[in-house]
Amino acid sequence: MTIFLVCMLVIVVLLLAEIPVAFSFGIGAILFTYATGNNISFLVTHGFNTASGFALLALPLFILGGLIMAEGGISARLLDFVNSFVGRIKGGLGAVTVLTCALFGAISGSSSAAIAAIGQIMIPRMVKEGYPEGHATALVACSSVLALLIPPSIPMIIFSITGGLSVGAAFLSTIIPGILLTLLYCVLNFWILRNDTSIKVDPPLPFKAAVRGVAKAGYNATFALLMPVIILGAIYSGIATPTEAAAIAVIYAIPVSLMVYKGLTIRTLGAVTVRAVIMTGSIMAVLFFLFIMSRAMILEQVPKQLAEALLTMSDNKFVILLVINLLLLLIGMIVDDISGAVLAAIIFLPIVQALGIHPIHFAAIVGVNLGLGNVSPPCAPMLYMAGGVAKLPLNKYIGPTLKLLCLGHLPMVAIVTFLPELSLFLPRLLMGIE
C-alpha cells in the first residue's frame, strides 16, 4: 500500500508538471512494478492483450465517427433544429447550446468533439447576440460533459470493459441523469440571464410560420437525428454490439457528410481520419500503461487493502460513498475522463461491490463525477478547451462555470449517488438486470 501511494504521488506530481498523461502513468506503472518485484514481461503482455480486445475497437470508431460528424455539417443541422424551438426566447441560444451538446453526445460519445463542433459555432454566435463571453464559454464547457452521460459514452465503454460489466447496462444507467442535467442547465441558463438587458432576441414568429420553421429544420436534420436512433436501436435491439454499432455510425456518417450535407470532401475525410488516429493513439498509450498498473495492483491486492481501509473508516455505506465521490472528483480534476474511468473501475469498483452497492449504479456515479471533475480546476481539460475556443483568459469564465457547477452538476452528483433507482430503472426495465 505504501509503495502504491508513493507511485500515485509521483504520477500526480508528473501530471501537475504537465508531463503527458501516458508518460506519467507509464513511469508510475514501471516504478510500481519493479518496486513490488513483479515480472514486467507478464504485465506488458497483459496490457497488450487487454488493449487489443475486440470491445475496445469501439473507441477509435466512435472517435472517427464523431470527428466526421463535426466536420460534415451534422452538428450545424442539429443546432438549426433545436434553434427552431427555443431560439427566439430570451436566453434561448444558451438552451440551444445545452440541448445540442446533449444531442451531439448521443452521436459522438466525446466531450472534446462536442466542444469542437458546437463551441466553435455557438460561442461567437451567443457573444454576437449580447451574451456575456464568460457565460457562453462556461455553458459550452459544462454542457460538453453531457456526452459522458448520454450514450454512447466512450468513458462508459472503457469503465465497463475494465470492470467486466455490461456496456449496454452502463449506457442505460446514465440516460436519466443526463436528461435531468440537460434540463437543469437549461433552467439555470434562463434564470441567470433573466435580467440581462444586453441580449438581443428576435421577435416571435406567428404560429404557422413557427411550425413551418420547425418542420423545415427537422426535415434538414433528419439524417442527423436518425443517427442516435440507429446507434442505440442497434445496441438495445440486440442487432449489434457497441463495437459493431460504432462501425455502423462511421459507415452511416461518411455518405451523409459527403453526399447529403456536403460538409466533407475526400481530402478532409483523409485529414479527419489522421486526427482520429492521433487521438486514438494517445488514448491507447494511456490505457496500455493503466492496464499494466491495474494488473500489478490486483496482484499486490491493493484494491482489497483500500476497501478494508475505507470499511474500517465507517460501516455506513453513505459515508463511504461520500468519500469515494470526493476521490472521484479529485481524479476527474487531475486526469482525463478515459483515464479516470479506468482508475475508478480498478480502485473503487471492488470497494462498492463489497458494500453491496450495485456496480451499474456505481457506473452512473462515475459518469457524473468524472464529468464534474473534467470542468473543475486545476486541470479541467474540457474547461480549458472551451476557453481556447473562445480565446478567453480563465478569470473571465471561471465565475460563471462555478455557478453552473455548484447549482447544477453538484446537486446531480448527490441525487445520483443517494437515489440508486434513478440510474437502475432503465437497466432493470430494458435489460432485466437484478
Side-chain angles (χ1 to χ4, degrees):
M1 179 61 72
T2 304
I3 295 171
F4 167 73
L5 293 174
V6 169
C7 290
M8 289 303 295
L9 181 61
V10 169
I11 292 171
V12 170
V13 170
L14 292 172
L15 289 169
L16 295 176
E18 299 187 1
I19 303 297
V21 175
F23 297 148
S24 299
F25 278 107
I27 292 168
I30 292 168
L31 282 175
F32 185 74
T33 300
Y34 278 109
T36 52
N38 283 293
N39 186 335
I40 190 70
S41 300
F42 165 74
L43 295 175
V44 167
T45 303
H46 169 79
F48 179 81
N49 289 338
T50 309
S52 57
F54 175 75
L56 267 182
L57 188 58
L59 177 64
L61 290 171
F62 274 126
I63 290 172
L64 177 59
L67 290 176
I68 290 171
M69 293 166 222
E71 191 74 30
I74 290 177
S75 56
R77 266 60 178 196
L78 291 174
L79 279 168
D80 290 342
F81 176 66
V82 179
N83 189 59
S84 67
F85 284 96
V86 292
R88 292 176 177 267
I89 304 170
K90 185 175 182 179
L93 276 182
V96 168
T97 300
V98 175
L99 292 168
T100 311
C101 280
L103 281 173
F104 197 79
I107 295 174
S108 70
S110 168
S111 300
S112 56
I115 291 177
I118 310 302
Q120 292 184 29
I121 300 172
M122 288 307 297
I123 292 176
R125 190 168 166 181
M126 283 191 280
V127 171
K128 183 180 177 182
E129 297 298 323
Y131 284 68
E133 288 181 312
H135 176 79
T137 305
L139 200 61
V140 168
C142 294
S143 301
S144 72
V145 299
L146 293 170
L148 274 72
L149 304 177
I150 308 292
S153 163
I154 291 173
M156 281 294 100
I157 293 173
I158 301 299
F159 177 83
S160 304
I161 292 169
T162 308
L165 306 177
S166 163
V167 175
F171 279 175
L172 287 172
S173 72
T174 56
I175 290 180
I176 294 177
I179 292 172
L180 291 177
L181 188 57
T182 301
L183 296 175
L184 190 51
Y185 274 149
C186 288
V187 171
L188 285 171
N189 166 72
F190 287 122
W191 180 75
I192 290 168
L193 300 175
R194 68 193 185 284
N195 297 323
D196 196 320
T197 56
S198 64
I199 296 175
K200 303 170 189 175
V201 185
D202 292 331
L205 292 170
F207 180 74
K208 287 186 179 179
V211 171
R212 282 197 299 271
V214 170
K216 183 179 178 182
Y219 175 77
N220 291 335
T222 299
F223 287 97
L225 293 170
L226 277 174
M227 196 151 190
V229 176
I230 292 170
I231 295 170
L232 298 178
I235 293 172
Y236 293 118
S237 65
I239 295 173
T241 66
T243 301
E244 292 162 345
I248 292 169
V250 174
I251 293 168
Y252 180 88
I254 291 174
V256 168
S257 299
L258 282 172
M259 294 181 285
V260 179
Y261 295 144
K262 299 180 181 178
L264 197 69
T265 64
I266 297 297
R267 179 176 292 181
T268 53
L269 177 59
V272 164
T273 304
V274 170
R275 282 166 55 200
V277 169
I278 293 169
M279 287 178 65
T280 302
S282 62
I283 292 171
M284 292 306 294
V286 174
L287 290 177
F288 175 71
F289 288 117
L290 280 170
F291 290 145
I292 289 175
M293 190 160 188
S294 70
R295 175 56 61 180
M297 287 168 58
I298 291 168
L299 290 174
E300 295 300 317
Q301 298 187 328
V302 170
K304 181 182 177 183
Q305 293 176 48
L306 283 170
E308 290 172 352
L310 280 176
L311 291 171
T312 55
M313 182 188 302
S314 172
D315 56 0
N316 188 320
K317 73 176 182 179
F318 295 110
V319 172
I320 296 176
L321 270 176
L322 185 61
V323 173
I324 290 174
N325 272 320
L326 292 172
L327 294 172
L328 284 172
L329 176 58
L330 287 173
I331 288 173
M333 287 179 177
I334 296 170
V335 301
D336 59 275
D337 49 8
I338 303 290
S339 307
V342 177
L343 290 173
I346 297 166
I347 299 172
F348 298 120
L349 187 57
I351 298 173
V352 298
Q353 287 177 315
L355 286 169
I357 295 164
H358 202 293
I360 298 300
H361 173 213
F362 185 61
I365 294 173
V366 170
V368 293
N369 260 294
L370 291 180
L372 177 60
N374 276 191
V375 283
S376 301
C379 292
M382 295 303 107
L383 182 61
Y384 297 141
M385 184 177 177
V389 169
K391 298 182 173 134
L392 278 183
L394 179 62
N395 65 303
K396 294 284 187 182
Y397 56 89
I398 187 64
T401 299
L402 292 175
K403 188 182 292 185
L404 288 169
L405 294 182
C406 292
L407 297 177
H409 208 130
L410 198 57
M412 186 53 59
V413 170
I415 291 169
V416 170
T417 300
F418 299 114
L419 289 177
E421 286 304 316
L422 192 71
S423 48
L424 291 175
F425 174 73
L426 287 179
R428 283 174 174 162
L429 179 68
L430 298 178
M431 298 198 71
I433 68 163
E434 295 182 1

